[in-house]
Amino acid sequence: MTETKEAKLDYLRVLILAENTVPFDRPLLGQHGLSCFIEARREKASLRLIMDVGQNPDVLSHNMQKLNVSAANIDAVVLSHCHFDHTTGVAALLAAAGKANLPVIAHPHIFRDHFLPGPPLRFIGMSRADGSAGALNAAGGRPILTRDPLSLLPGLMTTGEVPRLTTFEEGGLDVYTLEDGHLQKDMLHDDLSLVACVAGRGLVIITGCSHAGIVNIVTHALGLFPEEKLHAVIGGLHLHGAPEERIRCTVEAINAFAPALVAAGHCTGFQAQVELRRALGERFCPLHVGAEFVIA
Ligand SMILES: [Fe+2]
Ligand SMILES: [Fe+2]
């Protein structure tokens, strides 16, 4: 699926509802996790959605209240991947939204077993309360589980599964799943992002953890909108603990896309943030709860 020339948004707003850090002197709470409120408009059509929900529903709900985001006003939920720090409490959010059949868009493997081998072995996928299509249905959601890109509004789509093309990017985690009773290395193929195409600006990519590799994600997004250039990346880049060489190659490749903005936090890691700031100057900023980006 590729989008046509006319498929562009007039307005995009991204507001960070959950992240690891909080700004000075604001009544917001931090947590290890990520959640974004996204508002997209095109002519008379509009869409409001939440991508990821962090790992603490009480903290999310507190921040939503302080930031004037009501669950009752959202049209869809997107889950970027299975990790607990992005998905815990999604059923509670659906219940708070109080709708029937609220679309929950994710990859078909999102409910799989997913763990760090340890010791101690640790499940880091979706929680039991959130981790099945039945649980989300019972809470008022309607899972749409696809590995393909899904158009949400002309000019706004999910990436679907992202091809892994670069030689220097990998998932960044030694994680496993089960297939027919066999242990398998889990490559996090469920990792997906959102791509918005904003008129007069270009592509804005909103990521969860970028386990597919941010350079792979940007390359894939540019393939979905072949006429466009990259405008911004907002989200997690999962370069926390990455080897210096991987960080260097990633920063160099991001810089080559010449984005106007890279706003990266959560699992990006301090070292990668420092290198991004060094390469991009003021075009880089770290994320925090309450950070707001309006692209129009
Ligand atoms: Fe994460
Ligand atoms: Fe993750």
Side-chain angles (χ1 to χ4, degrees):
M1 184 189 279
T2 54
E3 289 282 8
T4 61
K5 252 189 210 169
E6 295 72 36
K8 292 182 184 182
L9 301 177
D10 307 318
Y11 172 95
L12 177 75
R13 176 176 172 234
V14 181
L15 174 64
I16 307 301
L17 301 176
E19 210 267 338
N20 304 38
T21 49
V22 287
F24 180 73
D25 202 22
R26 284 186 70 184
L28 300 166
L29 299 174
Q31 59 170 299
H32 168 66
L34 191 62
S35 173
C36 308
F37 172 72
I38 294 153
E39 189 178 357
R41 291 188 215 147
R42 173 192 149 83
E43 295 167 358
K44 287 182 183 154
S46 68
L47 190 77
R48 293 169 183 187
L49 61 90
I50 287 182
M51 180 161 120
D52 294 350
V53 296
Q55 67 164 296
N56 186 318
D58 296 333
V59 170
L60 180 73
S61 154
H62 170 92
N63 289 344
M64 283 174 68
Q65 200 191 352
K66 297 293 177 194
L67 294 166
N68 285 321
V69 175
S70 164
N73 291 336
I74 59 172
D75 304 305
V77 174
V78 173
L79 298 176
S80 67
H81 64 301
C82 68
H83 281 160
F84 72 99
D85 55 320
H86 295 251
T87 56
T88 303
V90 63
L93 178 72
L94 294 171
K99 297 186 179 177
N101 298 321
L102 192 74
V104 181
I105 299 147
H107 187 281
H109 293 169
I110 194 155
F111 302 126
R112 71 195 182 283
D113 281 312
H114 178 73
F115 51 88
L116 285 164
L121 187 148
R122 205 174 137 225
F123 289 98
I124 60 167
M126 292 189 74
S127 76
R128 201 175 283 266
D130 304 298
S132 67
L136 300 189
N137 269 313
R142 183 71 180 264
I144 301 176
L145 305 177
T146 175
R147 56 178 86 227
D148 297 324
L150 184 69
S151 182
L152 307 175
L153 196 68
L156 180 68
M157 67 198 300
T158 63
T159 58
E161 209 172 294
V162 174
R164 314 283 170 102
L165 303 176
T166 56
T167 52
F168 55 87
E169 296 183 296
E170 36 75 45
L173 283 170
D174 184 31
V175 277
Y176 290 82
T177 189
L178 295 169
E179 271 177 37
D180 289 335
H182 292 290
L183 278 175
Q184 296 285 348
K185 183 109 170 120
D186 192 325
M187 301 306 290
L188 280 153
H189 287 297
D190 58 324
D191 184 71
L192 56 82
S193 302
L194 273 173
V195 191
C197 179
V198 183
R201 300 285 183 178
L203 301 187
V204 179
I205 300 176
I206 305 152
T207 67
C209 285
S210 301
H211 291 296
I214 188 58
V215 181
N216 287 328
I217 294 167
V218 173
T219 304
H220 182 58
L222 289 167
L224 295 172
F225 292 87
E227 316 264 332
E228 298 299 327
K229 63 179 182 50
L230 179 67
H231 178 72
V233 173
I234 301 169
L237 305 186
H238 206 95
L239 293 166
H240 169 80
E244 237 171 68
E245 182 62 6
R246 180 181 173 189
I247 293 176
R248 191 187 63 74
C249 291
T250 304
V251 171
E252 204 174 281
I254 291 176
N255 204 8
F257 290 119
L261 170 73
V262 173
H266 176 47
C267 52
T268 300
F270 180 66
Q271 192 57 39
Q273 289 180 318
V274 167
E275 296 304 328
L276 283 163
R277 178 73 182 198
R278 207 194 297 271
L280 300 175
E282 303 228 322
R283 292 179 294 143
F284 171 80
C285 68
L287 281 184
H288 59 78
V289 181
E292 184 179 27
F293 306 92
V294 174
I295 295 145

